[in-house]
Amino acid sequence: MQQHPSPLVGRQGEVEDVAEALRTTGQATGHATGQASGHATGHTSGRATGAEARTLLVTGGAGTGKTAVVEQARQLVVQEGVKVLRLDWESGEGPADGTAALTDAVCGVLAKVHDGRLPARVAAVRRVQARAAGPGGEVALLSTLGEVLADAAREVPFALILDNAERMPARTASALGLLLRTFRPAGVPVVMAGRPMSPGHVAGAQLPAAADRVLGLPPLSSADVGELVERRLGRPVQPDLVTAVLASLGPLAGSPAAVLSVLASLEERGGLLELDGQVCLTVPEGGLRLRADAAELGRLCWPDASPDAGTVGAAAVLAGLVGQAEVRLEDLHRVKSPDGPLQAAGRTVDTLVEDRVVTVGQDGRIAFAVPALAAALRTLPARDEVRSLHATITKLVTDRLGATAAGTRRPRLAGHVAAAGAMIDDGLAVPLLLAAAGSSVRFNQDWAVRSYHSVLRRLPPHDPRTPGVLHESAGLSLRHSDHIGVLALGEPLLARLDVDRGDRRDRDGLEWVTRAWALSALHEHRSPYDGAADPRYRAALQRVPAAEVLAAVGGRYGIGPSVPMASRPGSAAPEPGSDTGSGSGFGFGSGSGSGPVPSPAEVRLLAAAVGSGAEFERARRGVPGDLGEAALDRLRNAAAYGDLAGALEAVLGERYVVAGESTAVRYHSMVRDYLTGDWDSALSCARRIETRGRSGRTAGVGQLPRALAAEIQLMRGELGRAREWLDLIPDSVGHPLVARARLGVRYWSGQVDKALAGKASADEALEAARHDVRRARGSGLLAGLDRVLLRMLSITVRGDSPEATRRTLAELEALYEETASPMTYEAVLVARGMVHGDADSALAAYRLVQRRVDLPLSVDCCQCLTDVGDDPQPWLDEATRSGHVLGMGRPVRSLLGAAARRRNVSIPRRRAARAGLSDREVRLIGMVSDGSTNRQIAARLACSEKTVEQRLSRLFQRTGCRSRVELAAAWLDGSLARQGLVPGH
């Protein structure tokens, strides 16, 4: 890791300020400390100026790093030879007399000054202390304390530091404030640290008034928090991790201690994973919490006080209450008994609101200001009263309105019913939950889905209402792309299928729900045919042939193993738009059967898109209506990458809900970013998919995102990371995208490793690729094989293997005759340009690829045209530009270099002036725009002012600005972004 001059992030300037104050030892303040009577007249002027000894108060919220800043500054000046002593007021505190406690602390300081005069100084102090009970005695004692400290500092110059000032008893703080304001010891700088205190607090009034300067520590910026996280973990982190940490902390987002507490909690829980060179989050973003230590939680989250165990316990009960359901103040105060549990909870809320731990919205909703605090409190030992409170809140309303009316008028009660569990009987819970679901479906889909799920946990499988609830819940979830919600219906669906003996309408509804479940499983890259899958689901699918065929489509899109697609007779299922109501008397009338569940004909088309042209044409004719050539091309393009969401979008059109966060939707975004050249975003998608699949949620781990990530890292020359991605893919996976990445990694690993270099390693890679091609053909996976064959062809051409080249080209042309796919036609044109030097074919391929938008293949076309075109230089220039955009590494650069040498043209040098600004340069411009001086910038960047001047000079050259003012103006008005100099804009 980069070595930093300070272990603190974002506090370099503050550390230097404190260090500067500590360095002023031995410099007089100009106060007359010799005469007690003179001080007693109220001499409050004479603040330290210039290089005189200073009194500095460092203040900031909990966990902002006050102690760390003071300690870092102390270490810094101690290395320079400055003596720094601590005023240990806590160990020397006198409970009855604040001046006595301060006297003991000063004597402790004097004991650390080894100049042989300790006995005389302590004796002088004790003599005055013995007479302090009389009039003016306290003033005389404080004057003496100032004198002896000044005398000791003249012999051995030192500075004083004092921490936790907010905890100082009132009388001790008053005495210290008077000492520093009126009897300040000459030549002794004093640095105090503490939280901001309320105006009524004595220390809050005395100590700031006694300070020459109050240095407030602001919260860390988002960029500083990101730097702190990376430095703490010692490795680069996925940006989502920093975003999740900030979101979990609310008002504590800029607190270093709070950030470190969340990271420590993640490490304890195993919630971090290093993947693709970055640390990623493997827990749900809303599940981050502080360390579940009561003392630490109290120190960080109670701004003005340290709570006792009872307060923390009460907060834990409230956290458990609001974590399961929406709670409002009216829920806690609507009770007759003043000593009831809800009234006690209401008093707890009042206290926590005063402590700024809990907030109450305009609608009365209760929430914790810091979500990570609430999550940590919920991990403390469970309290039985939480379930009782949920039940009490529910019964207060149902006793007054009845179950159905309560659910209709108070749908949020469904959360309380679910949390109360068996404390509320089914006879009351079921009608309330059904009414709440029907009422909330219009404005809060999440509430409705949770209500339906709660009903299903209470209804027996044979209940006539169960099919209707299953049907309505699945339809509601699908309309909002909530595939996790549909998968949560698996257990009650299995139980109902096991006992199903109902009428045809019930049967139709259950079949539709089963098909919806199979579709959602594919969206989350989970296959019922995986070895680890529950065999009960495979058995259930066998009872619903249409759902079985839909689940089998996954194998053709890289989701689970490849299984036969043949459907048994009698597999007809209701088409989209048909009435699949349950007939159970619910009267929902949702029409959810017309949602994004493909019909059997559409399922056959999805499957045929990866196969032969004849199969695809037959399936296309079986789909009612005309999809259009553009949609069919999009379908086949998506099938080549195993992009299920893209394929569904092409087939279903407006019926497909593109929104949502399913694994298939994320992979769809990854494929789009790969083709358009935003490879950083594509890799970020791959990491999110991987960590989501490992987080213990319903989502599965996709193999094709791993293969595409390996392909990107291969093209960037990161062979080690490419191999890491491929190592995650089982050998049994034979999808063409996986075969393509495997071929590239095997070949280029041999080129890099001299021990493997040579014709043998290339032949081995090609032979393994041919095996993968045969395996994919045997599984009916033809879409995407063209890119595998094209890569094989490029290797044989470079390896001067005419026979292998002819064989591979013939196989590629045969594949095109079999599939008639536009993508395969592009590959054939590029291949003819490579093998036969056919510039017209290569140019035609380039134009087709440009229209389809495939930047990686466009680079291949340009490289080919560099070799065979009449004028190679423009094509080499474009290939080089595109390669820079993609960040392509050695595999591409070596091909372009070889082509340039063959045609005797030069590779264009990248113009640094047009390259994007680095993060460090962007941060520097931001500080200039904020009006920071070179000195302030140097302190924050931990470098010298001369270095800042040099960096600014380079920025002026790169941006064309002539001054700091012009640079700030170009930043603020967006000129730099419009020039393409600012990354991400």
Side-chain angles (χ1 to χ4, degrees):
M1 284 194 56
Q2 179 181 357
Q3 296 299 315
H4 297 269
S6 169
L8 304 182
V9 173
R11 301 290 190 222
Q12 288 82 2
E14 288 83 355
V15 169
E16 183 56 36
D17 287 341
V18 175
E20 185 177 350
L22 293 174
R23 292 188 185 105
T24 60
T25 56
Q27 298 168 1
T29 64
H31 283 294
T33 58
Q35 298 293 327
S37 60
H39 292 298
T41 61
H43 181 78
T44 58
S45 63
R47 282 280 191 257
T49 60
E52 296 175 348
R54 302 180 181 182
T55 297
L56 177 67
L57 173 62
V58 181
T59 186
T64 51
K66 303 175 292 295
T67 301
V69 166
V70 173
E71 177 60 22
Q72 181 63 25
R74 184 194 70 81
Q75 294 178 11
L76 184 63
V77 300
V78 166
Q79 293 173 359
E80 300 171 0
V82 178
K83 188 176 184 65
V84 183
L85 303 177
R86 297 185 185 276
L87 184 65
D88 294 326
W89 60 268
E90 291 180 287
S91 60
E93 177 185 338
D97 190 343
T99 307
L102 182 61
T103 301
D104 292 340
V106 170
C107 289
V109 170
L110 296 174
K112 301 172 185 176
V113 180
H114 304 294
D115 64 348
R117 301 185 59 184
L118 172 63
R121 295 189 186 108
V122 172
V125 170
R126 297 306 183 188
R127 280 197 304 271
V128 177
Q129 186 181 19
R131 300 193 300 268
E138 182 177 359
V139 173
L141 177 58
L142 293 175
S143 176
T144 302
L145 293 177
E147 290 176 2
V148 296
L149 286 172
D151 178 66
R154 282 193 293 271
E155 300 298 326
V156 180
F158 63 88
L160 286 178
I161 59 176
L162 177 152
D163 202 0
N164 298 318
E166 77 280 358
R167 298 213 308 258
M168 184 175 285
R171 296 187 61 183
T172 306
S174 179
L176 177 61
L178 185 58
L179 172 66
L180 295 178
R181 293 174 61 189
T182 309
F183 308 103
R184 179 184 299 184
V188 181
V190 180
V191 174
M192 303 174 287
R195 292 189 192 182
M197 291 161 278
S198 59
H201 196 290
V202 174
Q206 295 285 355
L207 299 184
D212 297 310
R213 179 185 175 191
V214 177
L215 178 62
L217 297 186
L220 295 181
S221 66
S222 298
D224 287 335
V225 170
E227 183 180 349
L228 175 63
V229 172
E230 288 199 354
R231 197 183 296 186
R232 168 63 179 79
L233 298 178
R235 301 175 299 280
V237 301
Q238 176 87 347
D240 288 353
L241 171 57
V242 178
T243 302
V245 170
L246 291 171
S248 71
L249 290 175
L252 289 182
S255 166
V259 172
L260 295 176
S261 178
V262 170
L263 294 178
S265 173
L266 284 171
E267 289 181 317
E268 291 171 358
R269 301 161 57 192
L272 299 174
L273 171 69
E274 185 172 0
L275 184 67
D276 198 39
Q278 292 190 6
V279 179
C280 305
L281 188 66
T282 61
V283 301
E285 293 184 0
L288 274 66
R289 62 177 184 244
L290 297 164
R291 291 182 67 248
D293 177 83
E296 182 174 331
L297 295 178
R299 179 177 62 85
L300 287 175
C301 303
W302 269 257
D304 298 325
S306 296
D308 54 25
T311 302
V312 175
V317 172
L318 185 63
L321 192 65
V322 301
Q324 296 289 332
E326 181 178 304
V327 181
R328 300 189 183 183
L329 277 179
E330 63 184 41
D331 297 327
L332 302 182
H333 293 305
R334 190 189 292 116
V335 60
K336 297 179 180 179
S337 171
D339 298 323
L342 291 187
Q343 192 65 40
R347 289 193 295 269
T348 297
V349 171
D350 295 340
T351 302
L352 294 176
V353 169
E354 292 175 0
D355 291 339
R356 290 180 287 170
V357 174
V358 164
T359 62
V360 179
Q362 292 184 347
D363 59 354
R365 183 177 179 179
I366 299 169
F368 277 76
V370 179
L373 168 63
L377 289 172
R378 285 192 283 269
T379 66
L380 296 178
R383 305 292 290 269
D384 294 337
E385 55 263 40
V386 174
R387 293 178 64 194
S388 175
L389 286 171
H390 284 296
T392 302
I393 290 172
T394 303
K395 290 178 180 177
L396 283 173
V397 181
T398 56
D399 290 347
R400 184 163 50 90
L401 300 177
T404 301
T408 302
R409 296 170 58 180
R410 302 280 194 278
R412 56 189 174 84
L413 286 176
H416 295 288
V417 172
M423 299 189 76
I424 297 180
D425 63 84
D426 294 346
L428 175 65
V430 170
L432 188 152
L433 290 170
L434 290 175
S439 176
S440 59
V441 71
R442 295 185 299 274
F443 64 91
N444 193 316
Q445 176 255 339
D446 290 336
W447 280 6
V449 168
R450 287 199 296 267
S451 297
Y452 283 133
H453 289 180
S454 297
V455 169
L456 290 171
R457 285 193 291 270
R458 292 176 177 270
L459 287 179
H462 58 270
D463 191 290
R465 293 170 293 184
T466 299
V469 176
L470 284 168
H471 184 278
E472 188 67 13
S473 180
L476 184 60
S477 293
L478 278 188
R479 286 202 300 273
H480 295 84
S481 294
D482 177 18
H483 298 284
I484 297 293
V486 178
L487 291 180
L489 301 175
E491 288 294 333
L493 175 61
L494 288 176
R496 178 64 191 189
L497 287 173
D498 287 339
V499 302
D500 180 47
R501 296 294 185 270
D503 60 22
R504 180 62 191 174
R505 290 178 60 83
D506 277 356
R507 181 66 184 177
D508 289 346
L510 289 174
E511 287 187 356
W512 183 88
V513 174
T514 308
R515 292 163 59 205
W517 182 91
L519 177 66
S520 292
L522 297 184
H523 262 91
E524 295 300 345
H525 281 202
R526 298 182 68 90
S527 171
Y529 302 102
D530 280 333
D534 191 333
R536 295 182 301 159
Y537 290 110
R538 290 194 292 273
L541 290 175
Q542 290 176 358
R543 296 199 292 271
V544 185
E548 183 181 21
V549 174
L550 176 57
V553 169
R556 298 207 163 193
Y557 286 80
I559 304 170
S562 217
V563 295
M565 289 294 301
S567 176
R568 297 190 307 274
S571 63
E575 296 292 327
S578 63
D579 182 10
T580 56
S582 67
S584 58
F586 273 75
F588 289 131
S590 68
S592 52
S594 61
V597 178
S599 68
E602 291 167 334
V603 171
R604 287 191 292 272
L605 181 62
L606 288 169
V610 303
S612 68
E615 179 186 359
F616 183 72
E617 182 61 24
R618 287 194 301 271
R620 185 188 68 80
R621 289 197 299 267
V623 177
D626 184 11
L627 290 178
E629 291 301 322
L632 294 174
D633 285 348
R634 291 198 306 271
L635 168 60
R636 303 195 79 174
N637 293 343
Y641 286 93
D643 177 10
L644 177 69
L648 285 168
E649 185 178 9
V651 171
L652 301 181
E654 294 181 355
R655 287 164 46 210
Y656 184 67
V657 183
V658 184
E661 294 295 329
S662 70
T663 302
V665 169
R666 289 173 184 260
Y667 180 58
H668 176 61
S669 298
M670 183 183 179
V671 172
R672 182 185 62 242
D673 292 337
Y674 168 77
L675 294 174
T676 57
D678 190 357
W679 283 6
D680 288 333
S681 180
L683 288 173
S684 182
C685 281
R687 289 189 288 268
R688 291 192 191 101
I689 291 171
E690 187 71 23
T691 53
R692 188 170 187 260
R694 300 189 187 195
S695 64
R697 292 172 287 186
T698 311
V701 179
Q703 307 300 339
L704 297 192
R706 293 168 169 173
L708 194 54
E711 173 70 15
I712 293 173
Q713 294 291 25
L714 166 68
M715 290 294 96
R716 287 189 160 180
E718 299 287 348
L719 290 178
R721 291 182 179 172
R723 279 193 292 266
E724 289 174 1
W725 281 110
L726 284 178
D727 288 344
L728 299 174
I729 302 176
D731 294 336
S732 59
V733 178
H735 192 276
L737 185 58
V738 179
R740 172 176 150 197
R742 282 175 179 156
L743 170 60
V745 170
R746 286 166 179 160
Y747 173 75
W748 284 105
S749 295
Q751 298 301 303
V752 172
D753 190 339
K754 300 303 181 184
L756 298 177
K759 190 173 185 302
S761 61
D763 290 343
E764 291 171 0
L766 288 169
E767 187 55 38
R770 294 190 189 282
H771 170 74
D772 288 338
V773 169
R774 289 193 296 271
R775 182 167 58 165
R777 276 186 165 279
S779 299
L781 305 179
L782 303 184
L785 279 182
D786 50 274
R787 298 302 300 273
V788 183
L789 294 170
L790 187 62
R791 176 163 288 172
M792 293 170 61
L793 192 66
S794 67
I795 294 174
T796 61
V797 169
R798 289 196 301 273
D800 194 20
S801 304
E803 180 59 32
T805 299
R806 286 193 296 270
R807 173 186 174 189
T808 306
L809 178 59
E811 190 171 354
L812 181 57
E813 291 176 332
L815 178 67
Y816 173 61
E817 292 179 3
E818 185 177 0
T819 63
S821 164
M823 286 185 67
T824 307
Y825 180 56
E826 295 166 2
V828 169
L829 291 176
V830 177
R832 289 171 180 168
M834 293 168 52
V835 176
H836 302 308
D838 186 348
D840 291 338
S841 293
L843 182 60
Y846 171 79
R847 290 170 176 165
L848 290 172
V849 170
Q850 287 290 99
R851 189 180 307 124
R852 184 170 59 85
V853 185
D854 186 339
L855 191 56
L857 186 56
S858 175
V859 174
D860 292 341
C861 293
C862 291
Q863 185 265 324
C864 181
L865 285 165
T866 301
D867 260 326
V868 303
D870 295 334
D871 185 1
Q873 190 66 59
W875 298 111
L876 182 60
D877 292 348
E878 181 173 347
T880 303
R881 285 195 301 270
S882 298
H884 283 313
V885 169
L886 298 173
M888 288 181 164
R890 178 181 174 183
V892 177
R893 290 199 306 266
S894 63
L895 296 179
L896 294 178
R901 288 190 296 272
R902 285 192 295 269
R903 299 302 302 273
N904 195 27
V905 293
S906 60
I907 294 181
R909 303 187 67 178
R910 193 177 184 186
R911 295 179 58 190
R914 303 307 301 167
L917 298 171
S918 67
D919 291 340
R920 185 177 67 179
E921 290 170 326
V922 170
R923 186 181 180 193
L924 176 57
I925 296 175
M927 287 187 281
V928 170
S929 303
D930 292 339
S932 301
T933 64
N934 283 4
R935 182 182 180 186
Q936 292 169 327
I937 294 173
R940 295 198 60 185
L941 297 181
C943 63
S944 67
E945 291 184 54
K946 185 176 181 181
T947 301
V948 174
E949 292 174 359
Q950 292 172 346
R951 292 178 182 175
L952 283 174
S953 297
R954 289 195 294 269
L955 271 176
F956 292 153
Q957 294 175 356
R958 296 194 58 193
T959 60
C961 300
R962 293 171 294 179
S963 66
R964 294 166 60 98
V965 174
E966 286 189 12
L967 182 63
W971 170 259
L972 296 174
D973 67 12
S975 299
L976 298 181
R978 287 193 294 273
Q979 296 176 45
L981 294 175
V982 184
H985 291 76

